[in-house]
Amino acid sequence: MKINVINKRLSFILPLFLLIILSACEKKYQAPDHYAVDLFKDERQQGTAYIMNEEECFDGSELVIASSEVKLADSSKGRGKNFFLYKVRSGKVLKTIRDSVADYPFMFLSDQRLKLKNDSVYLYLKKLEGFRFIAAERNLKYQWLKAAPVYSVKKDK
């Protein structure tokens, strides 16, 4: 009788004991973060993008226009790259490489949404690269200079 009681207790305790031992012996891989050395910690700048100043924008662009009549005409979000189409109704050409006269109204493409102001702004444009289907459909020749912000036209006093 005593043997049956001991066997019953042992049959309950033994699986529980084995489960505890197996879970305690489980080896988990721990990444050796304390051994890692960051060789470029002084050079890395997260969350900051390079923004060109006015001189760099003027030198890097093929067409610079001062205009106050710029409106967002269309945008595309969803599959593929996001892009924005802007329409320029009129403006003053300050620099050009290819064309001596700009035909108004014309449209240009931008990869980013521009923060246009109500007053006159400088438009820094370069020749359109890629987007050939949109360019043919909308008669686009120019795109916004990457890393160029929107600068207001300064009035001379």
Side-chain angles (χ1 to χ4, degrees):
M1 175 103 163
K2 271 187 161 186
I3 296 175
N4 284 340
V5 173
I6 293 174
N7 284 341
K8 286 182 183 179
R9 286 184 188 169
L10 191 59
S11 66
F12 289 122
I13 294 174
L14 187 62
L16 184 64
F17 181 71
L18 287 173
L19 185 65
I20 291 171
I21 288 179
L22 288 176
S23 65
C25 293
E26 181 181 348
K27 175 125 175 125
K28 294 183 181 178
Y29 177 74
Q30 297 173 351
D33 289 336
H34 60 279
Y35 296 118
V37 176
D38 189 3
L39 298 175
F40 303 103
K41 65 183 176 185
D42 296 334
E43 296 177 14
R44 185 174 295 128
Q45 297 174 352
Q46 295 179 351
T48 59
Y50 178 71
I51 298 173
M52 300 172 112
N53 62 24
E54 288 186 60
E55 277 186 29
E56 289 175 325
C57 292
F58 194 84
D59 293 339
S61 59
E62 296 178 10
L63 178 67
V64 179
I65 297 176
S67 176
S68 62
E69 297 186 37
V70 182
K71 301 267 187 215
L72 178 64
D74 198 4
S75 64
S76 169
K77 290 185 179 178
R79 292 193 331 184
K81 294 183 194 177
N82 294 343
F83 62 88
F84 302 91
L85 295 176
Y86 290 92
K87 187 173 194 173
V88 181
R89 296 182 194 267
S90 67
K92 180 181 177 185
V93 177
L94 301 175
K95 175 188 172 185
T96 182
I97 292 176
R98 297 190 299 156
D99 304 331
S100 59
V101 177
D103 297 329
Y104 294 102
F106 74 92
M107 296 178 77
F108 69 90
L109 184 134
S110 176
D111 293 338
Q112 68 219 17
R113 187 176 184 108
L114 302 177
K115 296 177 183 175
L116 297 172
K117 300 165 177 121
N118 292 337
D119 55 346
S120 294
V121 293
Y122 291 116
L123 304 176
Y124 301 106
L125 306 174
K126 66 177 186 173
K127 182 183 172 188
L128 184 66
E129 297 169 355
F131 301 99
R132 67 175 189 228
F133 296 117
I134 301 164
E137 183 180 320
R138 296 288 186 125
N139 195 20
L140 298 174
K141 294 180 185 175
Y142 296 102
Q143 73 182 28
W144 185 258
L145 183 65
K146 197 170 187 171
V150 178
Y151 286 112
S152 296
V153 175
K154 297 175 185 145
K155 297 182 176 159
D156 297 329
K157 292 182 180 178

